[in-house]
Amino acid sequence: MSVTPSRFSGLFEMHGKKLLFLTKNLIAGTQFGEQLISAQGTEYRVIDPTRSKLGAALMKGISQLGVKPGDVALYLGASYGYTPSFVSDLLGETGFVFCIDSAPRSTRDLVFLCEQRSNMAPVLADAFHPEAYASRVSGADFVYQDIAQRNQAEIFLKNCDLFLKPGGFAVLVVKARSIDVTKKPGVIFQQVRRQLGEHIAVVDYRVLDPFEKDHCLLVCKKKI
Ligand SMILES: C[S@@+](CC[C@H](N)C(=O)[O-])C[C@H]1O[C@@H](n2cnc3c(N)ncnc32)[C@H](O)[C@@H]1O
């Protein structure tokens, strides 16, 4: 079995019993509890779709993400860095990812990861107040948000407004139950889709079940 480039720049795939998505390990020999695979003299990291909503969206056949090697990315809700570490691999040495999280505990773990990976920087901040970190974050080619808050769509739009470059892509992970537990997830997903559509073009959308229950992921593109 061989590792081959996927249709997404910077992402690879392997077809065996199961389809796997992988990134080239930016710091060979380091690992985050994920499976490592060596092929053709290169070390790859396997994205677990049950731990990463990005991985889940890939398994659900997302058609585009809009992120590529060399991009500057803004990651909102970085936690201790599992999915951000794959974004860091994908961006490569010429790219950079600013990782925002409001929890001191996870940001502490994130700091250790960023010490290993020179294309990542941790920022302890509330993403609802992007003006507080505007002086530390540059314009972004790509925004990724995974924040389980009632106002997650508003947080996303504020950050895209402030940091996303025209023509740039942005991904929003929606956790329906954080918005309204009384409504069916499908109703919430359509509501968020309409809300985003008033400001930014929604270019793809995937429900993440069975990998992540009651979650969906939307890919957006900012108008030029
Ligand atoms: C589901 S976890 C993210 C997991 C991560 N995206 C991954 O795949 O590895 C959500 C994170 O959002 C953070 N968060 C929640 N509200 C936030 C806010 N207003 N600003 C920044 N981070 C926030 C939480 O501290 C938590 O670490």
Side-chain angles (χ1 to χ4, degrees):
M1 274 175 297
S2 60
V3 175
T4 52
S6 76
R7 61 186 186 283
F8 304 99
S9 187
L11 275 170
F12 299 82
E13 59 190 35
M14 195 168 129
H15 296 261
K17 266 192 201 155
K18 287 190 293 187
L19 168 64
L20 301 177
F21 284 96
L22 316 93
T23 54
K24 263 186 200 174
N25 196 353
L26 189 66
I27 317 289
T30 61
Q31 159 177 40
F32 218 50
E34 75 283 12
Q35 188 188 353
L36 295 180
I37 289 178
S38 288
Q40 299 111 21
T42 302
E43 187 175 274
Y44 296 89
R45 303 169 62 223
V46 178
I47 309 174
D48 180 348
T50 65
R51 287 182 70 190
S52 167
K53 287 131 199 165
L54 179 66
L58 291 167
M59 295 304 278
K60 294 293 301 271
I62 198 89
S63 65
Q64 55 183 324
L65 289 168
V67 60
K68 56 187 184 312
D71 275 355
V72 172
L74 174 64
Y75 194 115
L76 307 165
S79 189
Y80 57 90
Y82 182 75
T83 303
S85 70
F86 288 100
V87 173
S88 147
D89 279 347
L90 192 158
L91 298 174
E93 279 164 10
T94 57
F96 199 84
V97 54
F98 295 97
C99 300
I100 316 289
D101 204 284
S102 57
R105 179 63 219 260
S106 12
T107 306
R108 199 186 63 183
D109 293 346
L110 190 60
V111 168
F112 294 121
L113 182 71
C114 296
E115 277 171 2
Q116 286 182 339
R117 291 177 167 259
S118 58
N119 71 350
M120 293 179 83
V123 180
L124 176 64
D126 183 346
F128 187 60
H129 297 290
E131 56 293 341
Y133 47 88
S135 62
R136 282 178 286 166
V137 171
S138 64
D141 304 291
F142 180 70
V143 172
Y144 184 100
Q145 179 180 307
D146 178 12
I147 285 179
Q149 293 284 352
R150 193 176 170 80
N151 59 349
Q152 48 196 272
E154 200 186 335
I155 294 175
F156 179 72
L157 288 170
K158 268 187 166 195
N159 279 273
C160 288
D161 227 29
L162 210 53
F163 301 111
L164 186 61
K165 293 180 187 167
F169 282 81
V171 164
L172 173 65
V173 174
V174 176
K175 183 177 182 183
R177 296 181 68 79
S178 298
I179 295 178
D180 191 340
V181 278
T182 67
K183 287 192 185 150
K184 286 196 172 146
V187 172
I188 304 277
F189 297 157
Q190 290 313 320
Q191 189 182 302
V192 173
R193 199 175 171 169
R194 274 196 303 275
Q195 185 181 350
L196 297 189
E198 287 169 16
H199 304 269
I200 194 164
V202 178
V203 295
D204 201 359
Y205 158 84
R206 287 291 184 278
V207 173
L208 302 184
D209 290 61
F211 302 105
E212 287 284 352
K213 200 169 160 357
D214 301 338
H215 284 72
C216 81
L217 181 147
L218 297 126
V219 183
C220 306
K221 187 173 185 198
K222 192 168 183 172
K223 289 170 193 123
I224 295 178

